[in-house]
Amino acid sequence: QDELRRQIRLMSLELGVIGLMNTQFAIRGDEVFVLEVNPRASRTVPFVSKATGVPLAGIAARVMAGTSLKKQGYTEEIIPDFYSIKEAVFPFIKFPGVDPILGPEMRSTGEVMGIGWSFGAARAKSMKAASYGLPKPGKAFLSVRDGDKEGLAFIARELLQLGYELVATRGTSRFLNEQSIVCETVNKVMEGRPHIVDLIKNQEICFIVNTTEGRQAISDSFSIRREALQRKISYSTTIAGGKATLCALDFEDDFSVHNLQELHQSLANKKNSKNTEAGA
């Protein structure tokens, strides 16, 4: 996070942006890649405004009109002591035959916001609000590309501790068994029946972590994604997404409601208290 802040500050100063700037990053390991930088607002602006209580659009408009951030009283970053998660909502279920895989195109038709005092609580609420639902204990299907197998071991062990049974395609199952992780083997669709889609149709699978690489692998796993979507089975196409879902499982019954006005007032009080101490 600190590295992203540093890079954004350097770019904004170098570009001379006055107002809002939309920056998109991609992170791979410790490497940070800048995808694009645009001198405009984005859909993230209202989300961040709700999360922090800072009216970013209004502040930016006044800056563009010549009123400095210092004159407006906004010179320090607001860091809430709660978590806010934005979850995208996709319309895939409304279109028969459409592959619910994500790419660089904008496919979401809406967004929801989950707020909690922990990452897991916020994640659970965002998933519920987006109607994805949280997986119930049962069988989890795991099938990942070679580069994700090390990260999958952590997820597999956590699932076993939570009472899940594991099934996986041959390569993934072999890897997990070599790590002393108990896992059954299930056929891919092309390997003959009974295969993984049969298990999904029979409602034997409650959670899926499936990462793919290459055009053929993406094509082969289409039926898994589509069937999981129709059955409303929690499905992760990244290791990070799988770990985030695990964090949410402890908050399945958390339906507490947070009042934004009260949260924002708490942040404002802390800001005023900090300013008072600085003035003293």
Side-chain angles (χ1 to χ4, degrees):
Q1 292 180 351
D2 289 338
E3 176 59 18
L4 297 182
R5 288 187 180 95
R6 187 186 72 85
Q7 291 196 22
I8 290 174
R9 177 179 175 80
L10 290 174
M11 286 188 290
S12 62
L13 291 174
E14 182 67 24
L15 294 171
V17 175
I18 298 175
L20 293 168
M21 186 178 85
N22 176 38
T23 309
Q24 295 188 29
F25 289 103
I27 302 174
R28 183 176 62 191
D30 294 329
E31 291 184 285
V32 177
F33 301 88
V34 179
L35 300 183
E36 61 179 58
V37 181
N38 300 307
R40 62 170 176 79
S42 69
R43 292 190 297 176
T44 304
V45 170
F47 174 84
V48 176
S49 293
K50 288 182 179 180
T52 62
V54 178
L56 294 176
I59 293 171
R62 286 189 287 273
V63 166
M64 295 170 72
T67 305
S68 68
L69 289 174
K70 186 175 182 180
K71 287 183 179 180
Q72 295 185 59
Y74 291 99
T75 57
E76 295 184 7
E77 181 181 2
I78 302 296
I79 302 179
D81 51 5
F82 51 87
Y83 291 79
S84 299
I85 291 180
K86 180 171 70 171
E87 187 79 53
V89 177
F90 298 96
F92 298 128
I93 193 64
K94 298 179 181 180
F95 301 97
V98 171
D99 190 347
I101 194 170
L102 297 180
E105 307 91 351
M106 177 63 72
R107 295 190 176 185
S108 66
T109 54
E111 296 162 345
V112 295
M113 183 177 189
I115 296 177
W117 296 110
S118 68
F119 174 83
R123 169 68 172 168
K125 289 181 179 179
S126 69
M127 291 179 69
K128 292 173 188 175
S131 299
Y132 295 151
L134 293 171
K136 303 286 185 181
K139 284 186 178 181
F141 169 66
L142 310 175
S143 180
V144 301
R145 58 189 180 183
D146 290 340
D148 289 333
K149 284 186 168 61
E150 291 297 331
L152 182 68
F154 170 82
I155 293 176
R157 291 191 176 96
E158 288 291 309
L159 288 171
L160 287 176
Q161 290 184 1
L162 291 169
Y164 288 78
E165 297 177 49
L166 305 181
V167 296
T169 48
R170 239 164 273 285
T172 301
S173 178
R174 185 185 309 113
F175 169 80
L176 293 176
N177 287 324
E178 289 172 353
Q179 304 298 312
S180 301
I181 299 173
V182 179
C183 180
E184 296 180 30
T185 301
V186 63
N187 286 336
K188 296 180 180 179
V189 175
M190 68 178 71
E191 294 174 338
R193 312 186 88 153
H195 49 59
I196 179 55
V197 174
D198 291 328
L199 296 187
I200 296 174
K201 288 182 177 179
N202 293 336
Q203 299 182 342
E204 296 182 45
I205 303 297
C206 61
F207 181 40
I208 296 173
V209 178
N210 181 210
T211 69
T212 56
E213 188 172 53
R215 183 175 299 177
Q216 187 60 48
I218 292 174
S219 176
D220 292 343
S221 57
F222 162 73
S223 57
I224 300 174
R225 290 189 295 274
R226 189 68 210 181
E227 196 64 38
L229 177 70
Q230 292 176 325
R231 306 281 174 177
K232 294 185 177 181
I233 297 172
S234 184
Y235 190 123
S236 176
T237 57
T238 65
I239 293 297
K243 290 180 178 179
T245 300
L246 287 181
C247 293
L249 293 180
D250 290 335
F251 300 91
E252 179 182 358
D253 299 321
D254 182 3
F255 292 95
S256 58
V257 177
H258 298 290
N259 185 302
L260 280 178
Q261 287 78 9
E262 292 178 1
L263 292 174
H264 295 166
Q265 186 58 52
S266 175
L267 290 174
N269 291 340
K270 289 179 181 179
K271 178 185 176 182
N272 293 334
S273 176
K274 186 175 181 180
N275 290 339
T276 301
E277 291 176 2

Short mmCIF file of all heavy atoms in Angstrom, two decimals, residues 154-203:
data_model
loop_
_atom_site.label_atom_id
_atom_site.label_comp_id
_atom_site.label_asym_id
_atom_site.label_seq_id
_atom_site.Cartn_x
_atom_site.Cartn_y
_atom_site.Cartn_z
N PHE A 154 -2.32 -23.98 1.24
CA PHE A 154 -2.83 -23.27 2.41
C PHE A 154 -4.36 -23.34 2.46
O PHE A 154 -4.96 -23.63 3.50
CB PHE A 154 -2.37 -21.82 2.40
CG PHE A 154 -3.04 -20.96 3.43
CD1 PHE A 154 -2.58 -20.94 4.73
CD2 PHE A 154 -4.14 -20.18 3.10
CE1 PHE A 154 -3.21 -20.16 5.70
CE2 PHE A 154 -4.78 -19.40 4.06
CZ PHE A 154 -4.30 -19.39 5.36
N ILE A 155 -4.99 -23.06 1.32
CA ILE A 155 -6.45 -23.10 1.25
C ILE A 155 -6.98 -24.49 1.57
O ILE A 155 -7.95 -24.65 2.33
CB ILE A 155 -6.92 -22.66 -0.15
CG1 ILE A 155 -6.59 -21.19 -0.38
CG2 ILE A 155 -8.42 -22.91 -0.33
CD1 ILE A 155 -6.93 -20.68 -1.77
N ALA A 156 -6.32 -25.52 1.02
CA ALA A 156 -6.77 -26.89 1.23
C ALA A 156 -6.71 -27.27 2.71
O ALA A 156 -7.65 -27.87 3.26
CB ALA A 156 -5.91 -27.84 0.41
N ARG A 157 -5.62 -26.92 3.38
CA ARG A 157 -5.49 -27.25 4.80
C ARG A 157 -6.54 -26.53 5.63
O ARG A 157 -7.10 -27.09 6.57
CB ARG A 157 -4.07 -26.91 5.28
CG ARG A 157 -2.99 -27.82 4.71
CD ARG A 157 -1.66 -27.61 5.44
NE ARG A 157 -0.65 -28.55 4.94
CZ ARG A 157 0.24 -28.26 4.00
NH1 ARG A 157 0.24 -27.03 3.44
NH2 ARG A 157 1.12 -29.16 3.60
N GLU A 158 -6.79 -25.26 5.30
CA GLU A 158 -7.80 -24.49 6.02
C GLU A 158 -9.18 -25.11 5.84
O GLU A 158 -9.96 -25.20 6.79
CB GLU A 158 -7.80 -23.04 5.54
CG GLU A 158 -6.60 -22.23 5.99
CD GLU A 158 -6.60 -21.97 7.49
OE1 GLU A 158 -7.64 -21.50 8.01
OE2 GLU A 158 -5.59 -22.29 8.14
N LEU A 159 -9.49 -25.53 4.63
CA LEU A 159 -10.80 -26.13 4.36
C LEU A 159 -10.98 -27.43 5.15
O LEU A 159 -12.05 -27.70 5.70
CB LEU A 159 -10.96 -26.39 2.86
CG LEU A 159 -11.17 -25.16 1.99
CD1 LEU A 159 -11.10 -25.54 0.51
CD2 LEU A 159 -12.52 -24.50 2.29
N LEU A 160 -9.93 -28.24 5.21
CA LEU A 160 -10.01 -29.49 5.98
C LEU A 160 -10.26 -29.19 7.46
O LEU A 160 -11.07 -29.87 8.11
CB LEU A 160 -8.72 -30.29 5.82
CG LEU A 160 -8.52 -30.99 4.47
CD1 LEU A 160 -7.15 -31.67 4.43
CD2 LEU A 160 -9.63 -32.02 4.21
N GLN A 161 -9.60 -28.17 7.99
CA GLN A 161 -9.80 -27.81 9.40
C GLN A 161 -11.21 -27.32 9.66
O GLN A 161 -11.74 -27.47 10.76
CB GLN A 161 -8.78 -26.75 9.82
CG GLN A 161 -7.36 -27.26 9.92
CD GLN A 161 -6.39 -26.21 10.42
OE1 GLN A 161 -6.78 -25.07 10.72
NE2 GLN A 161 -5.12 -26.57 10.52
N LEU A 162 -11.83 -26.74 8.63
CA LEU A 162 -13.20 -26.23 8.77
C LEU A 162 -14.24 -27.33 8.54
O LEU A 162 -15.44 -27.06 8.60
CB LEU A 162 -13.43 -25.08 7.78
CG LEU A 162 -12.65 -23.79 8.08
CD1 LEU A 162 -12.76 -22.83 6.90
CD2 LEU A 162 -13.18 -23.13 9.35
N GLY A 163 -13.78 -28.54 8.26
CA GLY A 163 -14.71 -29.65 8.10
C GLY A 163 -15.11 -29.98 6.69
O GLY A 163 -16.03 -30.77 6.47
N TYR A 164 -14.43 -29.39 5.70
CA TYR A 164 -14.73 -29.69 4.30
C TYR A 164 -14.02 -30.96 3.85
O TYR A 164 -12.96 -31.32 4.38
CB TYR A 164 -14.29 -28.53 3.39
CG TYR A 164 -15.13 -27.30 3.48
CD1 TYR A 164 -14.98 -26.41 4.55
CD2 TYR A 164 -16.07 -26.99 2.51
CE1 TYR A 164 -15.74 -25.25 4.65
CE2 TYR A 164 -16.84 -25.85 2.59
CZ TYR A 164 -16.67 -24.98 3.66
OH TYR A 164 -17.44 -23.85 3.75
N GLU A 165 -14.59 -31.62 2.87
CA GLU A 165 -13.90 -32.69 2.15
C GLU A 165 -13.37 -32.10 0.85
O GLU A 165 -13.95 -31.16 0.31
CB GLU A 165 -14.87 -33.84 1.84
CG GLU A 165 -15.45 -34.53 3.06
CD GLU A 165 -16.45 -35.60 2.67
OE1 GLU A 165 -16.13 -36.42 1.79
OE2 GLU A 165 -17.57 -35.59 3.22
N LEU A 166 -12.29 -32.66 0.35
CA LEU A 166 -11.66 -32.10 -0.84
C LEU A 166 -11.71 -33.09 -2.00
O LEU A 166 -11.45 -34.28 -1.82
CB LEU A 166 -10.20 -31.74 -0.56
CG LEU A 166 -9.92 -30.81 0.63
CD1 LEU A 166 -8.42 -30.54 0.73
CD2 LEU A 166 -10.68 -29.50 0.48
N VAL A 167 -12.04 -32.57 -3.18
CA VAL A 167 -11.92 -33.33 -4.42
C VAL A 167 -11.19 -32.45 -5.42
O VAL A 167 -11.31 -31.22 -5.39
CB VAL A 167 -13.30 -33.74 -4.99
CG1 VAL A 167 -14.02 -34.68 -4.04
CG2 VAL A 167 -14.16 -32.53 -5.29
N ALA A 168 -10.41 -33.09 -6.28
CA ALA A 168 -9.61 -32.32 -7.22
C ALA A 168 -9.34 -33.12 -8.48
O ALA A 168 -9.46 -34.35 -8.48
CB ALA A 168 -8.29 -31.91 -6.57
N THR A 169 -8.99 -32.41 -9.53
CA THR A 169 -8.59 -33.10 -10.76
C THR A 169 -7.24 -33.77 -10.53
O THR A 169 -6.55 -33.50 -9.55
CB THR A 169 -8.50 -32.10 -11.93
OG1 THR A 169 -7.74 -30.96 -11.51
CG2 THR A 169 -9.88 -31.65 -12.36
N ARG A 170 -6.85 -34.65 -11.43
CA ARG A 170 -5.73 -35.55 -11.21
C ARG A 170 -4.43 -34.83 -10.80
O ARG A 170 -3.80 -35.18 -9.81
CB ARG A 170 -5.49 -36.39 -12.47
CG ARG A 170 -5.60 -37.87 -12.20
CD ARG A 170 -5.74 -38.63 -13.51
NE ARG A 170 -7.12 -38.74 -13.95
CZ ARG A 170 -8.00 -39.58 -13.39
NH1 ARG A 170 -7.65 -40.33 -12.37
NH2 ARG A 170 -9.23 -39.66 -13.85
N GLY A 171 -4.05 -33.82 -11.56
CA GLY A 171 -2.79 -33.14 -11.27
C GLY A 171 -2.81 -32.43 -9.92
O GLY A 171 -1.85 -32.52 -9.14
N THR A 172 -3.90 -31.74 -9.64
CA THR A 172 -4.03 -31.03 -8.37
C THR A 172 -4.12 -32.01 -7.21
O THR A 172 -3.51 -31.80 -6.15
CB THR A 172 -5.26 -30.11 -8.38
OG1 THR A 172 -5.14 -29.17 -9.46
CG2 THR A 172 -5.40 -29.35 -7.08
N SER A 173 -4.86 -33.08 -7.40
CA SER A 173 -5.00 -34.10 -6.35
C SER A 173 -3.65 -34.73 -6.02
O SER A 173 -3.30 -34.95 -4.85
CB SER A 173 -5.98 -35.18 -6.80
OG SER A 173 -6.10 -36.19 -5.82
N ARG A 174 -2.86 -35.03 -7.05
CA ARG A 174 -1.54 -35.62 -6.84
C ARG A 174 -0.66 -34.68 -6.02
O ARG A 174 0.03 -35.10 -5.08
CB ARG A 174 -0.89 -35.92 -8.18
CG ARG A 174 0.45 -36.66 -8.06
CD ARG A 174 1.12 -36.84 -9.42
NE ARG A 174 0.22 -37.42 -10.39
CZ ARG A 174 -0.25 -36.79 -11.47
NH1 ARG A 174 0.12 -35.53 -11.69
NH2 ARG A 174 -1.06 -37.39 -12.31
N PHE A 175 -0.69 -33.41 -6.36
CA PHE A 175 0.11 -32.43 -5.63
C PHE A 175 -0.31 -32.36 -4.16
O PHE A 175 0.54 -32.37 -3.26
CB PHE A 175 -0.02 -31.04 -6.26
CG PHE A 175 0.55 -29.94 -5.42
CD1 PHE A 175 1.92 -29.69 -5.40
CD2 PHE A 175 -0.28 -29.15 -4.63
CE1 PHE A 175 2.45 -28.69 -4.59
CE2 PHE A 175 0.24 -28.14 -3.83
CZ PHE A 175 1.61 -27.91 -3.81
N LEU A 176 -1.62 -32.29 -3.91
CA LEU A 176 -2.10 -32.18 -2.52
C LEU A 176 -1.76 -33.43 -1.72
O LEU A 176 -1.37 -33.34 -0.55
CB LEU A 176 -3.60 -31.92 -2.52
CG LEU A 176 -4.05 -30.57 -3.09
CD1 LEU A 176 -5.56 -30.47 -3.12
CD2 LEU A 176 -3.47 -29.41 -2.27
N ASN A 177 -1.92 -34.59 -2.33
CA ASN A 177 -1.58 -35.83 -1.63
C ASN A 177 -0.10 -35.88 -1.28
O ASN A 177 0.30 -36.39 -0.23
CB ASN A 177 -1.97 -37.04 -2.47
CG ASN A 177 -3.48 -37.25 -2.50
OD1 ASN A 177 -4.16 -37.02 -1.50
ND2 ASN A 177 -4.01 -37.68 -3.64
N GLU A 178 0.74 -35.35 -2.17
CA GLU A 178 2.18 -35.29 -1.89
C GLU A 178 2.49 -34.36 -0.73
O GLU A 178 3.54 -34.49 -0.08
CB GLU A 178 2.93 -34.82 -3.15
CG GLU A 178 2.96 -35.86 -4.27
CD GLU A 178 3.54 -35.30 -5.55
OE1 GLU A 178 3.79 -34.07 -5.59
OE2 GLU A 178 3.73 -36.07 -6.51
N GLN A 179 1.57 -33.42 -0.47
CA GLN A 179 1.72 -32.51 0.67
C GLN A 179 1.03 -33.05 1.92
O GLN A 179 0.84 -32.33 2.90
CB GLN A 179 1.11 -31.13 0.32
CG GLN A 179 1.67 -30.48 -0.92
CD GLN A 179 3.15 -30.18 -0.80
OE1 GLN A 179 3.58 -29.61 0.19
NE2 GLN A 179 3.92 -30.57 -1.80
N SER A 180 0.67 -34.34 1.89
CA SER A 180 -0.03 -35.00 3.00
C SER A 180 -1.40 -34.39 3.27
O SER A 180 -1.86 -34.32 4.41
CB SER A 180 0.83 -34.98 4.28
OG SER A 180 2.07 -35.63 4.06
N ILE A 181 -2.03 -33.91 2.21
CA ILE A 181 -3.38 -33.35 2.30
C ILE A 181 -4.35 -34.34 1.66
O ILE A 181 -4.23 -34.66 0.48
CB ILE A 181 -3.46 -31.99 1.58
CG1 ILE A 181 -2.49 -31.00 2.24
CG2 ILE A 181 -4.88 -31.45 1.60
CD1 ILE A 181 -2.36 -29.68 1.50
N VAL A 182 -5.29 -34.83 2.45
CA VAL A 182 -6.24 -35.84 1.97
C VAL A 182 -7.17 -35.24 0.93
O VAL A 182 -7.85 -34.24 1.19
CB VAL A 182 -7.05 -36.41 3.14
CG1 VAL A 182 -8.05 -37.46 2.63
CG2 VAL A 182 -6.14 -37.02 4.19
N CYS A 183 -7.20 -35.86 -0.23
CA CYS A 183 -8.01 -35.33 -1.33
C CYS A 183 -8.40 -36.45 -2.29
O CYS A 183 -7.57 -37.27 -2.67
CB CYS A 183 -7.20 -34.26 -2.07
SG CYS A 183 -8.04 -33.51 -3.46
N GLU A 184 -9.68 -36.49 -2.68
CA GLU A 184 -10.15 -37.45 -3.67
C GLU A 184 -9.86 -36.93 -5.07
O GLU A 184 -9.72 -35.73 -5.28
CB GLU A 184 -11.66 -37.68 -3.52
CG GLU A 184 -12.09 -38.30 -2.21
CD GLU A 184 -13.60 -38.47 -2.17
OE1 GLU A 184 -14.22 -38.65 -3.25
OE2 GLU A 184 -14.17 -38.40 -1.07
N THR A 185 -9.83 -37.85 -6.03
CA THR A 185 -9.62 -37.47 -7.42
C THR A 185 -10.92 -37.58 -8.19
O THR A 185 -11.69 -38.54 -8.01
CB THR A 185 -8.56 -38.39 -8.08
OG1 THR A 185 -7.34 -38.29 -7.35
CG2 THR A 185 -8.32 -37.98 -9.53
N VAL A 186 -11.19 -36.58 -9.04
CA VAL A 186 -12.39 -36.60 -9.87
C VAL A 186 -11.98 -36.33 -11.31
O VAL A 186 -11.01 -35.61 -11.57
CB VAL A 186 -13.42 -35.55 -9.38
CG1 VAL A 186 -12.85 -34.13 -9.52
CG2 VAL A 186 -14.73 -35.67 -10.13
N ASN A 187 -12.71 -36.90 -12.25
CA ASN A 187 -12.40 -36.72 -13.67
C ASN A 187 -12.72 -35.31 -14.14
O ASN A 187 -13.68 -34.68 -13.68
CB ASN A 187 -13.21 -37.69 -14.53
CG ASN A 187 -12.70 -39.11 -14.43
OD1 ASN A 187 -11.54 -39.35 -14.12
ND2 ASN A 187 -13.57 -40.07 -14.70
N LYS A 188 -11.90 -34.84 -15.08
CA LYS A 188 -12.31 -33.67 -15.86
C LYS A 188 -13.42 -34.10 -16.80
O LYS A 188 -13.64 -35.30 -17.02
CB LYS A 188 -11.12 -33.14 -16.68
CG LYS A 188 -9.95 -32.63 -15.85
CD LYS A 188 -8.83 -32.13 -16.76
CE LYS A 188 -7.65 -31.63 -15.96
NZ LYS A 188 -6.54 -31.16 -16.83
N VAL A 189 -14.13 -33.15 -17.37
CA VAL A 189 -15.24 -33.47 -18.26
C VAL A 189 -14.76 -34.32 -19.44
O VAL A 189 -15.41 -35.30 -19.83
CB VAL A 189 -15.93 -32.19 -18.77
CG1 VAL A 189 -17.00 -32.52 -19.80
CG2 VAL A 189 -16.53 -31.42 -17.61
N MET A 190 -13.62 -34.01 -19.99
CA MET A 190 -13.11 -34.72 -21.16
C MET A 190 -12.62 -36.13 -20.83
O MET A 190 -12.39 -36.93 -21.72
CB MET A 190 -11.96 -33.92 -21.78
CG MET A 190 -10.72 -33.86 -20.90
SD MET A 190 -9.37 -32.96 -21.68
CE MET A 190 -10.00 -31.30 -21.60
N GLU A 191 -12.46 -36.44 -19.54
CA GLU A 191 -11.93 -37.74 -19.14
C GLU A 191 -13.01 -38.80 -18.94
O GLU A 191 -12.70 -39.95 -18.63
CB GLU A 191 -11.10 -37.59 -17.86
CG GLU A 191 -9.83 -36.77 -18.05
CD GLU A 191 -9.09 -36.49 -16.76
OE1 GLU A 191 -9.73 -36.56 -15.69
OE2 GLU A 191 -7.89 -36.19 -16.83
N GLY A 192 -14.25 -38.41 -19.10
CA GLY A 192 -15.34 -39.39 -18.97
C GLY A 192 -16.06 -39.29 -17.64
O GLY A 192 -15.59 -38.68 -16.70
N ARG A 193 -17.21 -39.93 -17.59
CA ARG A 193 -18.08 -39.85 -16.43
C ARG A 193 -17.80 -40.99 -15.45
O ARG A 193 -17.35 -42.05 -15.87
CB ARG A 193 -19.54 -39.87 -16.89
CG ARG A 193 -19.82 -38.90 -18.01
CD ARG A 193 -21.27 -38.83 -18.35
NE ARG A 193 -21.96 -37.84 -17.54
CZ ARG A 193 -23.07 -37.21 -17.96
NH1 ARG A 193 -23.58 -37.46 -19.15
NH2 ARG A 193 -23.65 -36.34 -17.19
N PRO A 194 -18.08 -40.72 -14.17
CA PRO A 194 -18.58 -39.47 -13.58
C PRO A 194 -17.47 -38.42 -13.51
O PRO A 194 -16.33 -38.74 -13.19
CB PRO A 194 -19.04 -39.89 -12.19
CG PRO A 194 -18.16 -41.06 -11.85
CD PRO A 194 -17.94 -41.78 -13.15
N HIS A 195 -17.82 -37.16 -13.84
CA HIS A 195 -16.83 -36.09 -13.82
C HIS A 195 -17.30 -34.97 -12.92
O HIS A 195 -18.37 -35.06 -12.29
CB HIS A 195 -16.54 -35.60 -15.24
CG HIS A 195 -17.77 -35.29 -16.05
ND1 HIS A 195 -18.72 -34.37 -15.66
CD2 HIS A 195 -18.21 -35.81 -17.24
CE1 HIS A 195 -19.67 -34.30 -16.56
NE2 HIS A 195 -19.40 -35.17 -17.53
N ILE A 196 -16.53 -33.90 -12.87
CA ILE A 196 -16.80 -32.83 -11.92
C ILE A 196 -18.14 -32.16 -12.14
O ILE A 196 -18.84 -31.80 -11.18
CB ILE A 196 -15.65 -31.77 -11.93
CG1 ILE A 196 -15.95 -30.64 -10.96
CG2 ILE A 196 -15.37 -31.27 -13.31
CD1 ILE A 196 -16.23 -31.08 -9.53
N VAL A 197 -18.54 -31.98 -13.39
CA VAL A 197 -19.84 -31.34 -13.64
C VAL A 197 -20.98 -32.21 -13.12
O VAL A 197 -22.00 -31.71 -12.65
CB VAL A 197 -20.01 -31.01 -15.14
CG1 VAL A 197 -21.42 -30.48 -15.41
CG2 VAL A 197 -18.98 -29.97 -15.58
N ASP A 198 -20.82 -33.53 -13.20
CA ASP A 198 -21.82 -34.43 -12.62
C ASP A 198 -21.96 -34.19 -11.12
O ASP A 198 -23.08 -34.16 -10.59
CB ASP A 198 -21.44 -35.89 -12.87
CG ASP A 198 -21.53 -36.28 -14.34
OD1 ASP A 198 -22.40 -35.73 -15.04
OD2 ASP A 198 -20.73 -37.11 -14.78
N LEU A 199 -20.83 -34.03 -10.43
CA LEU A 199 -20.88 -33.77 -8.99
C LEU A 199 -21.58 -32.45 -8.68
O LEU A 199 -22.33 -32.33 -7.71
CB LEU A 199 -19.46 -33.76 -8.40
CG LEU A 199 -18.66 -35.06 -8.46
CD1 LEU A 199 -17.35 -34.90 -7.69
CD2 LEU A 199 -19.46 -36.22 -7.90
N ILE A 200 -21.31 -31.44 -9.53
CA ILE A 200 -21.95 -30.14 -9.32
C ILE A 200 -23.46 -30.25 -9.53
O ILE A 200 -24.26 -29.74 -8.73
CB ILE A 200 -21.34 -29.09 -10.26
CG1 ILE A 200 -19.86 -28.87 -9.94
CG2 ILE A 200 -22.10 -27.76 -10.15
CD1 ILE A 200 -19.14 -27.95 -10.92
N LYS A 201 -23.87 -30.94 -10.58
CA LYS A 201 -25.30 -31.11 -10.87
C LYS A 201 -25.99 -31.89 -9.76
O LYS A 201 -27.17 -31.65 -9.46
CB LYS A 201 -25.49 -31.82 -12.21
CG LYS A 201 -25.17 -30.96 -13.42
CD LYS A 201 -25.42 -31.71 -14.72
CE LYS A 201 -25.17 -30.83 -15.93
NZ LYS A 201 -25.40 -31.54 -17.20
N ASN A 202 -25.28 -32.82 -9.15
CA ASN A 202 -25.85 -33.63 -8.07
C ASN A 202 -25.79 -32.91 -6.73
O ASN A 202 -26.09 -33.51 -5.69
CB ASN A 202 -25.11 -34.97 -7.96
CG ASN A 202 -25.34 -35.85 -9.17
OD1 ASN A 202 -26.34 -35.72 -9.87
ND2 ASN A 202 -24.42 -36.77 -9.42
N GLN A 203 -25.37 -31.66 -6.76
CA GLN A 203 -25.31 -30.81 -5.57
C GLN A 203 -24.37 -31.37 -4.50
O GLN A 203 -24.60 -31.25 -3.31
CB GLN A 203 -26.71 -30.58 -4.99
CG GLN A 203 -27.65 -29.89 -5.97
CD GLN A 203 -29.02 -29.62 -5.39
OE1 GLN A 203 -29.42 -30.21 -4.39
NE2 GLN A 203 -29.76 -28.72 -6.02
#
